[in-house]
Amino acid sequence: MSGLLEWILFLSLSAVAVGMAASMLLTMSMYRAGLALMASFLALAGLFILLDADLLAAIQVMMNVGGMLVMVLFMVMMMMDPGGEMMWEMKRKMQLPGPGALSMRMPRGKPPGMAPEGEKATADHPQTYTCPMHPEVRQDRPGQCPRCGMDLIPIEAQQPAQSYMAEATTYTCPMHPEVRQQGPGICPKCGMDLRPLEETGPRAPQPHGDKGMGTHAMDHGLQGVAMARRSPHWHDQMMADMAMSTAQLPWALVLGAASALVLVVLMIRTGWPVSRAVPAEDATLAVGELLLSRYMIGFEGAAFLILAGIVGAVIFAKRERKPAPRKAAKPPAKVEVYICPMHPEVRRSEPGQCPICGMDLIPTEQRPGSSHPDHGGAP
Amino acid sequence: MNGFSVALLVFSGLLFGAYSIAVLEQLITLGLRHLGVALVSPLAEAAALLRQENLVPRGADSLLFRSSPFVALTAVALAALVIPLGPGLFGFDPSIGLFYFIVVLGPFVIAMMNAGWSQNAKEGLFGAFRAAAHLLSYEVPLGFAAIGPVMAAESLSTVRIIEAQAGLWYGVWQPLGFAIYLVSALFMTYRRPFDIPQAGSELEGGVLAEYAGPRLLLFSAALRAIFFLLSAMGVVLFLGGWHGPLLPGSIWFLAKTFALAAFLLWIGRFLPRLRHDQMLSLAWKGLLPASLINVALVGILILIRQGGGS
Amino acid sequence: MSGPGLTPYLVVSALLFGVGIVGVLSQRSAIMVLMSIEILLNAAILNLVAFWRFVRPDNFDAQVFAIIAITIGAIEMAAGLGLMLLVFRQRGSSNIDQIQELKQ
């Protein structure tokens, strides 16, 4: 192909490759980060095609499509806000700085001092610290939440002067209806002013599981948060918790730029022994022959390891199936009922297989309202 | 013919293939008497979809939502370039044609996953996970099943594989490989018994639940086009491609493709829909050992034929 | 004009390497760190292929090297994800700043 076309293709593919890799670090949506990386690697495969390495390009595409897919799946599993939508909404409604789609950085410098009435832990108002995401976590000193690692914030003390009328009504947070207290104050989770019970909006459904805040609730609550009194410290905390990069980002940028610069200078200045030859053979045949002759040891080693892995998995899998020693340790008062995740009407008192679908029965504790298996099964 | 017109021709051939698969679907369910209805109803359905409102759900990841149908169509169009309709009638013939075909269809599954994810809805999310499970299930057995013809023809190029079948079709002496390929093809195109990620009655459409209007039309076209492509590749690999007496090669090719597609659609009516965990067990505990056995068998047969022949 | 020679490809791979370094050092989630390691690996593989094409295109050992490197990248990603899954099950969070128990 002509030189100019090759240059155009090279420049656009390189721009996509480097740009997408950088945007992986900038985006707030984890899913898009995985896709951005996939796009970057596909652009690299395009560069391989320009370099006459078609077989390598195909292998690169195949490995990376599958690999990044698995990465994306893990991210969706493990992160609280994989689509970035919660953070996007929060940024918009709470008017945090930065364009909407970009991820947030850790705030720089020391966090501003907390409001004076919040700091002091006196005998009358013992200062309890809680986690904004996990209100059940309470402790007496500041630190990290053991569940999610966020910094604990103080539950701000109630206003001392209150009429006894105010004390009698229950106050709750519009965004967190489970927060209730007898007098006015601040919601320990989000810092909003509590409102008397009859004024709160429609109850938001409890979020299912630990892993996400219902966006419905956020929607109603965030307008309030934007207007509620919030301390600079709390604001700082929210930014810190939503950031995707650690506080070392400036150092990382410096090191990254320095290493790229050093490498570029080294690449340009070294005199590489460039040859003018053109690849003549069919790469597939040549690579195949090499793999079969010189690098056969690699296949043999891989086959051995796979075999060892399968044998080990089979051997160790059998041992886990014996529940008898574990059952003996349990107090006999607890009745273990085993149900099938797909067919909860199937109940056995010992583990086994569901007669309807053949799946393994899982233990569940006998409770009056029997547990709804939270599993993505058939609706 | 320059590259652009070739690409255009291939793309229009692909759309025709998608249309014919839709016709076949109607014929299979209605019976051969209703040929007129079967020919018209895909066009009517397309017109109805075009008139529908082109909505984007609230909270959807709009970039992914809008781009998924196009990514799916692009993947399918790129894969169509290597299918030879007749001697000399193909888009382009790289030496790694078959490998290229399998690899380029990977982003199709990614497009389905993006579609499911970007809808901001439960059904879409579950459908996306199941589509990912599909990709993991079919990729390895498909590769192994396709290795049989590659070993026999000693080339990855689709044209060479067809030319090497001038004597005996590969489907005849590699029945296990053929069967595994057909099962993998059903996986790849989300047909019964493997249509969990986008079935109508399960999860209300799965990955396509929130799609409506022209975007749904694009997706339907892409799904039917990929079914057409996989039937065509099955013909290339196992049913002798364009070889056949009397009639020109491309007629034979199309006839065989339609026959294979009709067969796949027909058996889908008799098989129950598999749940996703049953699907995964089938793929990893059934298809994978079977495909390994197939590779061993085909290798032995090739050595016997070579030893007995010239 | 002729197409790009060796040096432009090397520059691209150096830039990618820099992006990978930034990612590894600055991301909070373990999975993002793993993905940045993948970027580093792919930058090195691009280097390898560029050298194959412009320095020794008749010797296909370099392509075999690249294939092995890509495979190792996939394997290392699988192992890393398995580790992260176990860590996540223990703690409920993927914040790597918390994984400090070995450091006393």
Side-chain angles (χ1 to χ4, degrees), chain A residues 319-332 334 336 338 351 361-363:
Chain A
R319 281 198 199 152
E320 281 176 9
R321 281 195 175 249
K322 294 199 184 131
R326 281 189 308 147
K327 270 184 87 167
K330 288 203 175 123
K334 212 187 272 194
E336 283 279 352
Y338 289 85
L361 302 177
I362 56 172

Side-chain angles (χ1 to χ4, degrees), chain C residues 10-21:
Chain C
L10 299 182
V11 167
V12 169
S13 101
L15 290 176
L16 262 181
F17 196 81
V19 171
I21 295 270

